[in-house]
Amino acid sequence: MSKNKFFQEYAARFAAASNQSLVESFNKEAGITGWTSMRASFIAALINEFLNRGIDISAVSDGRSTDFNHHVRLDETGKRFILID
C-alpha cells in the first residue's frame, strides 16, 4: 500500500468527520516529534480537510509548515484556530 493510498484513506475518514473530531485529531499530534511517512500522510490529509472546510489554521501554519507545539480549539464561529496552550 503506497503513501498516496494512505493519504486517500485518511482524507475519506476526515471528510466524514465533524470539525470537533478534526480538532481532536490535531490535538493528539501536539507535542509529538517523531516522523514517519504514515504520519506525514495523516497530517497532510488532516490539514487538507481543514483547508477544504475553509478553516483558518494560520495560528499554527504558515502555508508551508505546521507547528504542533500547541493545542488548539475553534473560535466561536468554528472557522479559525485559537491556541489554547
Side-chain angles (χ1 to χ4, degrees):
M1 198 175 265
S2 71
K3 180 177 170 183
N4 189 20
K5 178 69 174 167
F6 289 124
F7 175 88
Q8 292 172 358
E9 290 175 4
Y10 288 129
R13 178 176 133 198
F14 293 141
S18 69
N19 285 356
Q20 185 56 40
S21 177
L22 295 177
V23 169
E24 289 168 5
S25 292
F26 181 93
N27 284 336
K28 285 179 183 174
E29 296 299 312
I32 297 174
T33 59
W35 201 257
T36 65
S37 61
M38 189 78 120
R39 183 172 185 231
S41 295
F42 177 89
I43 288 172
L46 181 61
I47 297 303
N48 190 60
E49 187 59 29
F50 283 123
L51 297 175
N52 285 344
R53 294 181 186 201
I55 296 173
D56 177 359
I57 62 169
S58 62
V60 297
S61 177
D62 63 6
R64 289 178 288 138
S65 64
T66 303
D67 178 1
F68 285 93
N69 292 320
H70 303 281
H71 291 88
V72 299
R73 68 173 175 81
L74 293 175
D75 71 355
E76 58 281 346
T77 69
K79 290 294 183 183
R80 185 170 55 95
F81 271 13
I82 303 292
L83 300 180
I84 57 175
D85 65 5

